[in-house]
Amino acid sequence: MASAVGHEQGEPAGTAAVTPAGGARDLDPVSASWVRELSSTGTVYETACARLHGDLLRIAKRELARRRSRFGFDGPEADDLAHQAAADALLAITRKIGDFRGESRFTTWAYRFVVLEVSAKAGRHFWSTRRVELDGEDWERLPDRLGAGPAESSEARALAAAVRTAAAEVLTDHQRRVFVALVLDAVPLDALALELRSSRNAVYKTMFDARRRLRDHLVAHGYLDVIPGRRS
């Protein structure tokens, strides 16, 4: 386990202050207990780390299970990623325990670390096992991505052609690249964020804006309802 952070030499174990950094609000009892124990040393610290690691591992496994269909990993591979994410998150939390300000419950704050670790590790795993050329654009895949059945194939091709034209006319280069990666290449959002050296939220916002621009164009040109019930 990582050593305790910021503990005053000679201070008895278990007596660290629980006042949040920067003068933030008082901590709730559960959060105060976590901060006190993770700021301690010896058995108190080690026991708290073991408990927190168990919680982080549970969250990591849940997050990986939620991403399983998109990333294609399972079994021992997923279990290994979950343990890596939990261990790295625990290390980050113990290093930054002094930064916890009590603006949320400690567990809410701590769980963000493991979710971020899962996203990063899942993204790296994707690129280590798949080769996707982000600069390539295979628009022939779009009808399948639209989920059209055989009876709708001609309508789907017409809509795909309209979307391709709209993407060239109304999207920025960055929006087009994100749209192609997420829709045509089926790159998971976490993996694309890693590749673009961006955040998940930033990539999501780019995709949201791209879809809105495409929708407006398709509505203006009468293509939106080519496939019954289909919305961009």
Side-chain angles (χ1 to χ4, degrees):
M1 294 292 181
S3 61
V5 178
H7 190 71
E8 293 293 335
Q9 184 175 5
E11 183 180 353
T15 61
V18 295
T19 302
R25 68 194 70 178
D26 292 337
L27 301 185
D28 63 271
V30 173
S31 296
S33 178
W34 275 114
V35 172
R36 181 173 59 251
E37 293 173 14
L38 290 172
S39 300
S40 186
T41 58
T43 302
V44 172
Y45 172 78
E46 297 293 342
T47 300
C49 283
R51 286 171 49 219
L52 182 56
H53 181 268
D55 290 344
L56 297 173
L57 182 59
R58 173 175 54 81
I59 298 298
K61 288 181 176 180
R62 185 187 71 188
E63 289 295 313
L64 286 167
R66 194 165 61 84
R67 292 165 166 80
R68 182 182 298 128
S69 62
R70 285 173 286 161
F71 286 91
F73 47 64
D74 205 348
E77 192 173 40
D79 191 62
D80 182 56
L81 287 175
H83 278 84
Q84 291 179 35
D88 288 349
L90 177 63
L91 183 61
I93 291 165
T94 55
R95 285 176 172 173
K96 296 182 178 181
I97 191 66
D99 296 336
F100 178 62
R101 296 176 52 83
E103 295 171 347
S104 64
R105 294 180 66 85
F106 171 81
T107 49
T108 301
W109 177 79
Y111 291 168
R112 292 192 189 111
F113 285 85
V114 75
V115 170
L116 289 173
E117 288 292 342
V118 166
S119 295
K121 286 172 171 50
R124 285 194 290 270
H125 178 272
F126 175 86
W127 293 114
S128 71
T129 57
R130 283 189 56 183
R131 291 291 178 266
V132 176
E133 188 60 54
L134 290 183
D135 292 329
E137 296 185 6
D138 187 359
W139 288 93
E140 297 301 319
R141 299 175 183 173
L142 188 54
D144 291 336
R145 298 288 188 248
L146 294 173
E152 300 169 320
S153 59
S154 61
E155 291 89 347
R157 286 195 297 272
L159 180 57
V163 172
R164 181 176 186 175
T165 299
E169 292 181 1
V170 304
L171 299 186
T172 67
D173 289 343
H174 180 60
Q175 288 172 337
R176 182 185 177 103
R177 190 182 192 200
V178 168
F179 179 85
V180 168
L182 294 179
V183 177
L184 300 187
D185 297 328
V187 175
L189 184 61
D190 293 326
L192 183 60
L194 182 69
E195 181 70 10
L196 297 179
R197 297 182 180 179
S198 184
S199 69
R200 179 186 176 91
N201 287 343
V203 174
Y204 180 86
K205 177 63 164 55
T206 298
M207 184 60 178
F208 177 86
D209 291 341
R211 286 170 61 90
R212 183 174 58 186
R213 286 190 176 191
L214 291 174
R215 176 185 171 82
D216 289 346
H217 182 92
L218 294 174
V219 167
H221 291 79
Y223 284 103
L224 187 61
D225 294 320
V226 169
I227 296 179
R230 178 66 59 186
R231 294 291 182 267
S232 88

